[in-house]
Amino acid sequence: MNEIKIFSFSGSGENGRNCYALQTEQGIILLDCGVKRETVGEQVGFYPPLTEEVASQVRMVFLSHCHEDHSAALPMLYHLGYNGEVYAAQETIDAAPGMIRKWMAYVEKQGGSLPFPQSAAEKIRFSPLSLGSNLVNGLPVEVGRSGHVLGGVWFQFPVQGKKVLYTGDMTLQPSSLAVDLPEPCDAAIMNCAYAGQCISQEKQYQKLLELIETTVCAGGKVLLPLPPKGRGSDVLKLVSAHGFGVPVFVEEQIVTCYQELQKKSLWLSQADEQGTCAANLTIVKNENERQQALNTAGGAVYLASDGMLTAPDGLVYYNALKADVNSLIIITGHAAAGTVGAGLFDEEYRRKNDVSVRAEKIICKVHLDEQDALSLQERLGFKKVILFHAIKEKNKSLLESFKERNIEALAGSWPQTITL
């Protein structure tokens, strides 16, 4: 048999728990192994449906970036019996263990249970890849920058005479990060988080600034919950440059990640030589400083860590502002079911929790949208693709567009398979 089977264990047709596979004659090449931050009843978090049998067939693992929805199920894979390496960019290797520990702590705090012992996280063995050409256990691997986050990459594999691309969380229009374009390929596993949409980053940023300006000028306060790695740096730079004429408070973790990013010139399209030293910017380092920030009279802007409002610092701001009809919380990315970030847009949740603060969702573009996906296909020429990072309903128009181009496209998990 000389076939290559390409499929999703989970992540395709849903948002989260990204885990994809190339099944070759030598075994399975696993691409990412993440969790989905959703709470349903007593279930805190969802994981790829991996088994001991699957783990025994995994030949090697490639990790596209550090975010929990791509990395935090790795301890489960090792608990199931995998004992090989996880290959990733060094910057991802530096950040992933902290992300995994943060996920484990979150589950424990929420009263959930992990499908692996805490000690399984210590079993993970990382091995660094360089940008460009690599040879991993005899397998050639091309690695390029994805534009999503520091250390975020795509992988291209020449396997059994075919080329397969895994985009990871790729964007063609990054704000600060550089992005590399892959070579033509036969098949792709492609991120399309904004399926069904065509998003202008410039217009989204303009809308974001206008909403903040309007709110603070009327004496209200604005809370921006942000993931520190990735989108947090982009929004910090934007808000810091604008100023608004009111105090801007930012959690230390967001500033630290931004400063780390600026030291990594290899990953940047253009370094910010001005830094973030706006006169009205105050870094918040502890609970006492957080409370002082909230006691500010009049308008103010708060940048808190964790884009879904599940982290302790973000919840402090949220609880202080949730009854204030003059204030505003802006969600800039995906908020999973069961999180406060999602609850802000649910009338029943707002009523039960006495939430009066206004809420808006403005996407800050860090993934591919529908037009990006179509443009990438035109450039790369692949004829088979698995879409991920969006629920099935949002993929309908993109799937139809691919069908019109005679491209085999899937948006679902195993047993749906693409064969080369």
Side-chain angles (χ1 to χ4, degrees):
M1 182 187 78
N2 200 34
E3 289 183 341
I4 307 165
K5 291 187 180 298
I6 307 171
F7 59 91
S8 161
F9 280 112
S10 53
S12 180
E14 61 181 323
N15 197 324
R17 59 174 191 162
N18 295 283
C19 188
Y20 311 99
L22 306 182
Q23 188 167 30
T24 71
E25 293 175 333
Q26 289 76 36
I28 291 174
I29 298 170
L30 200 68
L31 308 170
D32 289 346
C33 193
V35 300
K36 178 157 60 176
R37 186 182 283 252
E38 285 189 0
T39 300
V40 179
E42 296 182 357
Q43 178 72 37
V44 181
F46 292 81
Y47 300 80
L50 302 175
T51 63
E52 290 183 0
E53 182 182 0
V54 169
S56 70
Q57 297 176 49
V58 175
R59 177 184 169 197
M60 60 188 80
V61 180
F62 291 86
L63 179 61
S64 65
H65 64 290
C66 64
H67 288 158
E68 67 184 30
D69 58 326
H70 293 257
S71 68
L74 283 171
M76 183 179 75
L77 180 66
Y78 278 83
H79 179 58
L80 290 170
Y82 178 68
N83 59 7
E85 305 273 331
V86 175
Y87 298 92
Q90 183 61 56
E91 288 76 9
T92 293
I93 293 172
D94 294 340
M99 284 283 188
I100 294 169
R101 289 193 298 271
K102 184 177 178 181
W103 168 255
M104 293 163 63
Y106 169 76
V107 173
E108 182 179 10
K109 185 174 181 180
Q110 297 300 312
S113 59
L114 295 165
F116 52 84
Q118 296 265 347
S119 58
E122 305 303 319
K123 295 182 179 180
I124 303 172
R125 304 206 321 268
F126 290 103
S127 186
L129 296 171
S130 61
L131 294 173
S133 299
N134 295 260
L135 188 64
V136 179
N137 293 334
L139 175 70
V141 183
E142 195 71 20
V143 179
R145 297 168 294 185
S146 68
H148 179 72
V149 68
L150 177 64
V153 297
W154 50 256
F155 301 110
Q156 194 168 69
F157 304 91
V159 183
Q160 297 171 203
K162 304 289 185 180
K163 276 192 176 181
V164 181
L165 169 70
Y166 175 50
T167 65
D169 282 4
M170 188 180 190
T171 178
L172 299 183
Q173 300 171 344
S175 294
S176 302
L177 293 163
V179 62
D180 302 310
L181 292 176
E183 293 296 317
C185 57
D186 298 284
I189 305 170
M190 183 166 65
N191 155 42
C192 193
Y194 311 135
Q197 303 177 71
C198 293
I199 299 172
S200 164
Q201 184 78 290
E202 182 179 354
K203 289 181 179 179
Q204 294 297 98
Y205 279 164
Q206 186 60 40
K207 185 178 179 182
L208 180 71
L209 294 173
E210 288 173 357
L211 276 173
I212 297 173
E213 187 78 50
T214 300
T215 302
V216 299
C217 284
K221 293 177 168 58
V222 177
L223 171 60
L224 284 156
L226 301 161
K229 293 184 182 294
R231 194 164 69 240
S233 291
D234 294 337
V235 176
L236 171 59
K237 182 177 178 180
L238 180 73
V239 170
S240 177
H242 194 276
F244 305 105
V246 299
V248 177
F249 300 93
V250 54
E251 287 291 320
E252 184 178 31
Q253 186 182 8
I254 295 175
V255 176
T256 299
C257 289
Y258 177 86
Q259 292 171 339
E260 290 174 356
L261 176 62
Q262 292 304 309
K263 297 174 184 176
K264 303 288 187 175
S265 59
L266 178 64
W267 295 88
L268 296 173
S269 57
Q270 184 176 359
D272 178 13
E273 296 179 359
Q274 299 299 316
T276 57
C277 301
N280 61 336
L281 185 74
T282 300
I283 300 173
V284 177
K285 300 179 181 179
N286 53 50
E287 182 59 28
N288 182 53
E289 293 179 357
R290 213 164 279 132
Q291 293 300 329
Q292 290 179 16
L294 285 164
N295 289 333
T296 300
V301 180
Y302 306 101
L303 275 60
S305 66
D306 193 331
M308 301 187 195
L309 275 176
T310 60
D313 66 296
L315 291 174
V316 169
Y317 294 109
Y318 163 73
N319 287 320
L321 299 178
K322 72 175 187 177
D324 185 357
V325 296
N326 297 314
S327 291
L328 173 67
I329 299 176
I330 303 176
I331 301 296
T332 57
H334 174 68
T339 64
V340 173
L344 288 169
F345 303 96
D346 182 88
E347 288 304 320
E348 183 179 358
Y349 176 91
R350 291 177 66 92
R351 185 173 61 255
K352 286 183 176 180
N353 293 276
D354 297 319
V355 179
S356 300
V357 67
R358 293 179 294 126
E360 293 278 354
K361 186 166 186 177
I362 300 177
I363 296 297
C364 291
K365 192 174 181 180
V366 292
H367 297 273
L368 300 176
D369 66 16
E370 187 139 330
Q371 187 55 54
D372 294 331
L374 293 171
S375 298
L376 198 60
Q377 188 281 325
E378 288 179 1
R379 178 184 177 88
L380 303 183
F382 55 78
K383 294 299 181 182
K384 301 189 178 190
V385 62
I386 294 177
L387 304 175
F388 70 91
H389 241 322
I391 61 174
K392 291 180 180 179
E393 289 75 13
K394 291 186 176 181
N395 286 298
K396 287 181 179 178
S397 63
L398 183 54
L399 289 170
E400 187 60 34
S401 294
F402 279 136
K403 183 178 179 180
E404 291 172 359
R405 297 182 181 197
N406 294 317
I407 296 164
E408 181 183 351
L410 300 179
S413 296
W414 176 265
Q416 294 188 57
T417 305
I418 281 177
T419 301
L420 290 178

